[in-house]
Amino acid sequence: MRLSRYFLPVLKETPSEAQIVSHRYMLRAGMIRQQAAGIYSWLPLGYRVLRRIEQIVHEEQVRAGHIPLLMPTLQPADLWRESGRYDDYGEEMLRIKDRHKRDLLYGPTNEEMITDIFRAHVNSYKDLPLTLYHIQWKFRDEIRPRFGVMRGREFLMKDGYTFDIDKEAALHAYNRHMVSYLRTYERMGLTAIPMRAASGPIGGDNTHEFLVLAQTGESEVFYDDRVTGLRLGQREIDYTDRAQVAAVCEEFTTLYARTDETHDESDFASVPEEHRKVGRAIEVGQIFYFSTKYSEPMGAVVVNEKGERVPVHMGSHGIGVSRLLGAIIEASHDDKGIIWPEGVTPFHCGIVNLKQGDGAADAACEGLYKALAAQGLEALYDDRNERAGAKFATMDLIGLPWRITVGPRGLEKGVVELTCRKTGESEELSPEAAVDRLVQVYAPHRALEGVIV
């Protein structure tokens, strides 16, 4: 993509309504535009990151054996009356009447609808276990939407639902989601800590939130700082192996980590003082096991091995896809702009031509652009007739992890400059070597990419 042909409405000044870093930079970098309170249009740069995050979520869900589908944004109110939540959910639910005066709602979540789908098509234990999920827009009418996509009213969420014959199987599904979420967040360059949490309006006895430490986080958290060093890394996970999956969950949940809602001061006091930390964090996901809370009132039953009709055990598992953009920026930025982790960057690198119109510089940039594309790497080529400082400022603001700078002086020596956005370090390489270096940098990320089925 050439910047002269791209739609990137960068702002020089910070809009007055932006109170936190992610909101400021998303507006300034031309990623989003507010259309109403808590409702945003996703402009091309923001949309590219949103889709990269969505793709990673899909890949890790499918890797764990979960099956994608797509449910509508509007739901009939009668389903929620069956579960008893229609009147209980509160004013965050946007209630609507259609032209026939039928009650509808803009879905804040999908437990009722997925249960209705399940009970219509599954009636035997032989069809279990089953996990269905989708990534869909949700609406919750926040009383005070703020912080951009971090607390908007309309948001993109992955919500998955598990159906199992008994509690033991359901808890394996719960653990499976925890491990797949840990892998998902690591691929995005995030350290997301699973913390024991409260269930809220979803319900259930077992629940963990995944939180990213950030000064602007909405939650106060209490944790043993050794938990921030835990990583899945490249280890292979067999999601059908209950013992292995449970062991990973135990590894990541044994050290103390709680939100303020579930914090226990006496347990926290047992953490060595030098590791005892209090901070703030951003919620980016939550998993629930809620037994038969929805299956019993809604008649989601199967025939077990004994020929008995029993309600299935269910769980609900969400990831805030659009919210993740804000969380990543809060965790990865400096005073110049965003610093995208390589796993979610909108473009793999930027190419800056220091002397647009110079034959050698133009040819070298075109060659780099094509060489990167041949390796499956997408570059954003700044081919505008702008001064070098303006081009560098734009690249720093939008936060591409790598920048290749091309100028006549370097080309006389046969080199270009490759710069790492995170460290600021630069080195001179031949154009071919710069391409090879980027291929090596992105190889681990591309190795994890999968196919949606």
Side-chain angles (χ1 to χ4, degrees):
M1 181 59 65
R2 288 160 172 77
L3 196 49
S4 62
R5 304 177 194 172
Y6 197 57
F7 182 61
L8 186 66
V10 169
L11 303 177
K12 292 183 179 180
E13 302 297 327
T14 299
S16 59
E17 72 269 22
Q19 299 177 333
I20 63 171
V21 168
S22 58
H23 194 192
R24 290 200 297 269
Y25 282 153
M26 289 185 78
L27 289 170
R28 284 198 55 214
M31 298 179 68
I32 55 174
R33 177 177 173 78
Q34 181 171 303
Q35 304 300 152
I39 300 174
Y40 292 87
S41 288
W42 290 81
L43 305 183
L45 192 74
Y47 186 63
R48 286 180 72 93
V49 182
L50 187 68
R51 287 298 173 231
R52 289 200 189 279
I53 289 173
E54 183 179 354
Q55 179 71 12
I56 290 172
V57 173
H58 271 304
E59 288 171 356
E60 293 306 323
Q61 287 300 294
V62 170
R63 203 185 310 277
H66 308 158
I67 304 168
L69 47 67
L70 185 62
M71 290 175 278
T73 56
L74 293 180
Q75 302 182 32
D78 285 347
L79 286 176
W80 286 65
R81 290 190 176 108
E82 280 190 61
S83 71
R85 282 206 301 175
Y86 186 70
D87 296 317
D88 294 343
Y89 201 87
E91 293 186 1
E92 284 188 355
M93 181 189 290
L94 181 63
R95 295 166 171 84
I96 306 164
K97 285 187 183 291
D98 66 14
R99 67 172 65 196
H100 301 292
K101 307 302 179 186
R102 289 176 296 214
D103 291 326
L104 302 170
L105 58 103
Y106 194 131
T109 183
N110 281 76
E111 282 81 8
E112 284 80 2
M113 184 167 284
I114 198 70
T115 305
D116 180 55
I117 291 171
F118 176 88
R119 70 185 178 185
H121 300 286
V122 179
N123 52 38
S124 171
Y125 76 96
K126 295 179 181 178
D127 296 320
L128 302 179
L130 181 65
T131 297
L132 301 171
Y133 80 94
H134 73 158
I135 298 177
Q136 179 61 291
W137 292 96
K138 302 286 191 291
F139 190 92
R140 293 177 188 169
D141 200 2
E142 294 275 357
I143 190 170
R144 191 160 71 94
R146 55 190 176 135
F147 301 156
V149 301
M150 297 287 288
R151 187 169 291 183
R153 293 192 294 165
E154 184 183 56
F155 54 94
L156 190 63
M157 188 172 85
K158 172 262 159 182
D159 44 319
Y161 304 92
T162 56
F163 302 89
D164 290 277
I165 191 64
D166 55 29
K167 182 176 182 178
E168 183 181 2
L171 290 177
H172 172 59
Y174 183 94
N175 292 343
R176 193 173 65 240
H177 275 82
M178 180 177 289
V179 176
S180 69
Y181 278 25
L182 291 169
R183 176 85 77 203
T184 298
Y185 297 127
E186 281 188 22
R187 287 185 61 185
M188 296 176 190
L190 290 172
T191 299
I193 305 169
M195 298 191 181
R196 179 69 65 180
S199 59
I202 302 295
D205 300 325
N206 292 67
T207 179
H208 281 82
E209 288 180 359
F210 292 79
L211 293 111
V212 175
L213 298 174
Q215 293 179 350
T216 52
E218 73 271 47
S219 302
E220 186 177 27
V221 294
F222 304 80
Y223 61 100
D224 183 326
D225 67 357
R226 289 172 291 186
V227 75
T228 63
L230 299 176
R231 295 288 185 277
L232 275 177
Q234 299 301 314
R235 72 180 89 171
E236 292 291 328
I237 304 294
D238 179 357
Y239 284 103
T240 65
D241 186 332
R242 292 190 180 187
Q244 183 191 22
V245 172
V248 174
C249 292
E250 183 177 2
E251 175 187 347
F252 279 81
T253 59
T254 296
L255 292 171
Y256 191 94
R258 301 277 187 97
T259 64
D260 53 358
E261 295 173 306
T262 59
H263 175 57
D264 186 308
E265 195 61 45
S266 61
D267 285 351
F268 192 48
S270 66
V271 177
E273 186 174 357
E274 66 272 22
H275 294 295
R276 213 179 300 155
K277 302 295 180 184
V278 180
R280 302 202 69 80
I282 300 164
E283 181 197 344
V284 291
Q286 190 163 5
I287 57 177
F288 304 84
Y289 160 65
F290 40 64
S291 186
T292 59
K293 174 182 171 67
Y294 297 93
S295 56
E296 283 199 69
M298 296 186 68
V301 299
V302 296
V303 176
N304 65 15
E305 289 180 289
K306 299 177 180 178
E308 303 165 331
R309 292 173 60 81
V310 296
V312 292
H313 287 247
M314 292 177 58
S316 174
H317 312 277
I319 289 179
V321 176
S322 54
R323 167 178 269 246
L324 273 165
L325 275 86
I328 291 168
I329 294 170
E330 292 293 331
S332 185
H333 68 272
D334 60 17
D335 58 1
K336 295 178 181 178
I338 303 163
I339 305 173
W340 289 117
E342 281 133 2
V344 298
T345 179
F347 295 93
H348 296 103
C349 79
I351 300 173
V352 171
N353 189 340
L354 292 180
K355 194 170 183 181
Q356 196 69 38
D358 178 85
D362 291 354
C365 289
E366 291 290 342
L368 283 164
Y369 186 86
K370 292 177 180 177
L372 289 164
Q375 295 291 338
L377 299 177
E378 296 177 288
L380 180 62
Y381 172 23
D382 192 342
D383 60 343
R384 300 172 299 162
N385 286 311
E386 290 276 359
R387 57 185 179 83
K391 292 187 175 187
F392 291 147
T394 297
M395 286 293 175
D396 285 342
L397 174 62
I398 66 175
L400 306 185
W402 296 90
R403 184 186 76 224
I404 301 176
T405 305
V406 180
R409 289 186 183 179
L411 290 176
E412 287 178 2
K413 300 186 292 182
V415 298
V416 296
E417 185 179 69
L418 181 65
T419 303
C420 175
R421 175 70 180 87
K422 185 175 183 179
T423 66
E425 296 176 356
S426 298
E427 59 180 322
E428 292 186 338
L429 299 167
S430 69
E432 296 78 14
V435 171
D436 289 344
R437 176 68 61 82
L438 291 175
V439 169
Q440 293 170 13
V441 165
Y442 284 102
H445 301 281
R446 299 175 71 184
L448 290 170
E449 293 174 358
V451 177
I452 304 305
V453 295

